Amino acid sequence: MDKRFEKEKFETLKIKRSVAIEFRKFSKILSKSQSMTLLLMMEFFNENGISPTERLGPRMEALENRISILIKKRMNGMIAIMKDIEKSQTKPTVAMMQALFQVAEPPKKKLILAKEIKEEKNEGRFRGKGYLNSIDNE
């Protein structure tokens, strides 16, 4: 039973038998009672400003245009959101991940116990100033 209309009494309508049979089939397809099906149909026509006697040709074209414009706007909005996410979240994250996994050679530390070996120069201790300078200049 229809919840909003439980306390209302039934009223009869005079319609042709063939129309009543088709209407009952349509009600079963919608899985609604006959009263609710008729009410839904009337609300649909009233809300959309459609008359059952007029053709939907130009109205449907206008409706399709409106829908396509709305879809385009939403797609453009989604593209803008994706670009913003890419700039503000994805690229910095990738850069940080690359920096983390970048292989860098650790600096070689000298062991505390290792002795430093100083290379001694093979130069003599005594040098004559005049003799060496004259050879270097030649």
Side-chain angles (χ1 to χ4, degrees):
M1 200 71 200
D2 305 323
K3 292 183 181 181
R4 295 187 306 175
F5 305 104
E6 288 175 346
K7 295 182 181 181
E8 289 189 32
K9 293 183 180 181
F10 286 97
E11 186 70 32
T12 59
L13 296 174
K14 291 186 178 186
I15 55 175
K16 302 291 182 185
R17 181 187 259 312
S18 61
V19 176
I21 291 169
E22 289 296 317
F23 184 71
R24 286 183 186 120
K25 287 180 187 176
F26 185 70
S27 297
K28 286 181 182 179
I29 291 171
L30 291 179
S31 300
K32 301 284 183 184
S33 68
Q34 294 175 18
S35 298
M36 288 307 295
T37 302
L38 187 59
L39 182 63
L40 288 171
M41 290 169 58
M42 289 188 307
E43 286 177 354
F44 173 78
F45 287 120
N46 287 333
E47 286 176 9
N48 295 305
I50 301 171
S51 172
T53 58
E54 69 182 30
R55 293 277 177 191
L56 295 177
R59 285 188 181 262
M60 286 304 285
E61 290 172 7
L63 183 63
E64 287 175 5
N65 289 338
R66 257 190 274 154
I67 289 172
S68 66
I69 290 170
L70 287 173
I71 290 173
K72 286 179 185 176
K73 285 182 181 179
R74 289 193 179 183
M75 289 302 292
N76 289 339
M78 289 297 296
I79 290 169
I81 290 170
M82 293 297 289
K83 284 182 179 179
D84 182 54
I85 288 172
E86 188 175 287
K87 286 179 185 175
S88 64
Q89 294 176 4
T90 308
K91 286 184 180 177
T93 304
V94 169
M96 287 189 293
M97 294 298 288
Q98 285 176 346
L100 284 173
F101 292 111
Q102 206 170 32
V103 178
E105 291 184 26
K108 294 182 180 178
K109 295 183 179 178
K110 296 180 181 178
L111 296 175
I112 297 172
L113 299 176
K115 294 182 181 177
E116 293 183 19
I117 301 173
K118 293 183 181 178
E119 294 182 23
E120 295 182 9
K121 295 181 183 178
N122 291 334
E123 298 177 5
R125 287 186 173 176
F126 300 105
R127 252 197 252 189
K129 287 185 183 180
Y131 181 71
L132 288 176
N133 286 337
S134 62
I135 295 175
D136 290 339
N137 291 335
E138 293 177 357

